[in-house]
Amino acid sequence: MKILPLLVLLMLETIVSAQHAVNLRIINGTKATDTHQWEWILSLRQHGEHICGASLIAPQWAVTAAHCISTDDGVVSASSLSVMAGSYNVYNQDTVISVKKVVRHPQYSDVSIDNDIALLKLASAVSDITPVTLAQDAPLLEHDPSFVAGWGNMSTTTLEFPSELMQVDLKIIDFAQCSQSYRTEEIYLTDNMFCAGYMDGSKDSCQGDSGGPLIIPQGNYYELAGIVSFGGSETQMCGAPNFPGIYTKVQNYVAWIERYTGILKRHISLEETLKTREFYTIDGTFSWHDFENVPNAFDWVYQMQNGRMFQLQGKQPTDNDVFGWKEVYGLTITPQWQMIYLGSDIDGDGTTKFDWIVLGMHTNAAYKLEGVRENGTFKYSDKLDIHYDATAQTVRFY
Ligand code: ARG
């Protein structure tokens, strides 16, 4: 199985150029108008040109497809890559951030396209966009609704790229049926993949959408469940009947993502938990050496509430450091917990110092978190107790 190179696409174009081009989108989608639904979507660029989609999963981390950043003999250099954030227009140049590090899944196979996932560490943090939540255990049952978006080809017969982000609604396709179909072309799907689209081929993702997000509704928000990977038949690359799109199953990689990025994103009902417990404790102790000489050592800790992001403000810890939350962009907040976001790599050298850091605050604390250093333990005024085990780097709630 090979991802068809651009050359084939160009040949394809020559072949079909005499035909009337039907105005299809993403394949049969619509323009993405809801400015919030895909606000974390990124255009991945190589030498400034859009090559794939990607998703912001933490202020400084994005996820994309491994095949997007792969060459015949390895991984493209991070310095050739950048991402565009914060706009649905792919030509927008306002927020283009260079990529600092590329982490391709170690078991990615360019033959089977198994483990088609890669992480991109950005040169700077995107602080005004709420990253997307990763799906942790989505059932992905046949007929379940999902949505895919991208700036990929809109035509099944020619090349027609949009400037504005396109989206389309898909249904999860029965995996057995889908694999059966692909088997006829000697393509063997793995458990790290799932199929979404329509067996009649009416709606699909397409070339240029790769690496981009497939989201599924989860309550009143959306989670990143899939990454556009590949699809199509020998004769038709997109929107081919019986060959729905194949997506990387994000939930299989949550642990891997967390290990590399040090991010942990969970929906934690603190209101619930605070009723029953006085402290949250993570075993271990802090090693102050880790951030003694790091200015703004805690700038990497973020939390989100009602879709708004806060950054923990802190200086180098001294015996009486007081930390507070600063809203990353100025909006009033409903005092209600929704989500805690956790970050890492305090000195930006690419290695994860704090795989976990859990922060919590009571709803009434008005976003003011106070902490003092106490034998390597943070004590928060709202009874949140954090311990850090430099060796174990694991999270535990009690
Ligand atoms: N591999 C393609 C890319 O690089 C995405 C293909 C998706 N194909 C499909 N039929 N859904 O952009």
Side-chain angles (χ1 to χ4, degrees):
M1 165 69 207
K2 250 198 146 347
I3 304 294
L4 286 175
L6 193 63
L7 190 67
V8 178
L9 269 171
L10 294 172
M11 281 160 52
L12 207 82
E13 182 179 37
T14 328
I15 296 162
V16 296
S17 57
Q19 296 177 7
H20 175 69
V22 206
N23 189 21
L24 298 169
R25 338 255 130 156
I26 194 177
I27 296 299
N28 248 336
T30 53
K31 205 150 124 180
T33 46
D34 179 344
T35 47
H36 278 296
Q37 172 125 17
W38 307 100
E39 61 172 343
W40 37 262
I41 199 170
L42 306 170
S43 150
L44 175 62
R45 293 145 185 234
Q46 188 171 27
H47 305 301
E49 244 172 72
H50 172 91
I51 54 164
C52 273
S55 305
L56 190 74
I57 56 166
Q60 219 174 337
W61 286 93
V63 70
T64 187
H67 81 259
C68 289
I69 48 93
S70 293
T71 59
D72 283 349
D73 50 2
V75 178
V76 303
S77 79
S79 62
S80 68
L81 299 172
S82 60
V83 297
M84 185 277 289
S87 172
Y88 283 0
N89 187 301
V90 75
Y91 299 111
N92 192 296
Q93 301 286 359
D94 293 346
T95 314
V96 177
I97 304 163
S98 29
V99 172
K100 183 158 124 184
K101 191 164 92 172
V102 178
V103 184
R104 185 172 72 173
H105 195 281
Q107 270 90 48
Y108 167 67
S109 160
D110 60 0
V111 179
S112 63
I113 320 295
D114 198 15
N115 303 301
D116 194 6
I117 185 167
L119 293 165
L120 308 170
K121 181 159 193 182
L122 311 181
S124 58
V126 181
S127 56
D128 55 352
I129 294 174
T130 304
V132 65
T133 303
L134 306 176
Q136 309 243 9
D137 43 22
L140 301 176
L141 298 174
E142 189 181 7
H143 306 310
D144 276 358
S146 64
F147 300 86
V148 65
W151 291 278
N153 196 4
M154 301 188 292
S155 167
T156 58
T157 51
T158 179
L159 289 179
E160 201 185 322
F161 293 96
S163 48
E164 294 295 325
L165 184 68
M166 304 301 290
Q167 65 174 34
V168 71
D169 60 303
L170 304 177
K171 300 249 179 277
I172 304 299
I173 304 250
D174 178 67
F175 188 68
Q177 186 188 3
C178 183
S179 336
Q180 170 67 48
S181 178
Y182 272 95
R183 223 172 293 150
T184 63
E185 298 218 348
E186 285 171 39
I187 291 163
Y188 302 95
L189 304 187
T190 73
D191 183 48
N192 296 314
M193 306 169 182
F194 68 93
C195 307
Y198 298 86
M199 285 316 263
D200 66 3
S202 54
K203 297 175 182 177
D204 198 3
S205 52
C206 199
Q207 267 56 35
D209 292 322
S210 274
L214 177 143
I215 57 174
I216 52 168
Q218 182 66 258
N220 50 4
Y221 63 101
Y222 293 92
E223 290 183 340
L224 183 71
I227 296 169
V228 180
S229 182
F230 64 98
S233 67
E234 273 298 302
T235 51
Q236 191 177 336
M237 295 165 80
C238 310
N242 301 314
F243 294 94
I246 313 293
Y247 297 82
T248 311
K249 207 191 275 179
V250 168
Q251 57 191 320
N252 288 8
Y253 301 96
V254 170
W256 178 74
I257 293 171
E258 287 178 348
R259 197 159 63 241
Y260 272 87
T261 64
I263 66 161
L264 253 183
K265 213 152 76 167
R266 305 238 189 260
H267 288 259
I268 302 165
S269 165
L270 276 181
E271 280 162 328
E272 255 321 288
T273 325
L274 280 169
K275 281 180 203 151
T276 51
R277 294 190 196 290
E278 289 231 315
F279 292 92
Y280 296 87
T281 308
I282 302 155
D283 262 355
T285 46
F286 271 106
S287 162
W288 288 102
H289 302 294
D290 284 326
F291 37 69
E292 236 158 27
N293 295 308
V294 183
N296 306 316
F298 292 92
D299 283 0
W300 48 277
V301 181
Y302 289 84
Q303 62 154 324
M304 277 185 287
Q305 291 176 42
N306 301 324
R308 285 161 191 148
M309 193 177 289
F310 295 82
Q311 191 181 42
L312 185 62
Q313 302 290 297
K315 27 182 189 164
Q316 304 174 44
T318 63
D319 282 346
N320 289 302
D321 269 348
V322 174
F323 299 94
W325 293 102
K326 187 185 126 205
E327 196 170 359
V328 172
Y329 56 101
L331 286 166
T332 335
I333 318 105
T334 319
Q336 190 198 3
W337 279 98
Q338 277 202 344
M339 193 190 297
I340 299 178
Y341 170 75
L342 316 155
S344 82
D345 189 5
I346 54 168
D347 57 6
D349 74 350
T351 63
T352 299
K353 305 294 186 309
F354 301 93
D355 257 324
W356 45 271
I357 291 270
V358 177
L359 294 166
M361 213 170 50
H362 193 268
T363 56
N364 300 327
Y367 316 109
K368 192 86 177 133
L369 177 64
E370 292 184 329
V372 289
R373 176 188 168 185
E374 268 183 33
N375 299 326
T377 298
F378 278 132
K379 290 244 177 197
Y380 291 90
S381 57
D382 53 354
K383 300 196 192 326
L384 178 74
D385 203 354
I386 300 172
H387 301 253
Y388 171 55
D389 182 343
T391 332
Q393 292 201 345
T394 50
V395 188
R396 266 191 267 165
F397 298 91
Y398 293 95

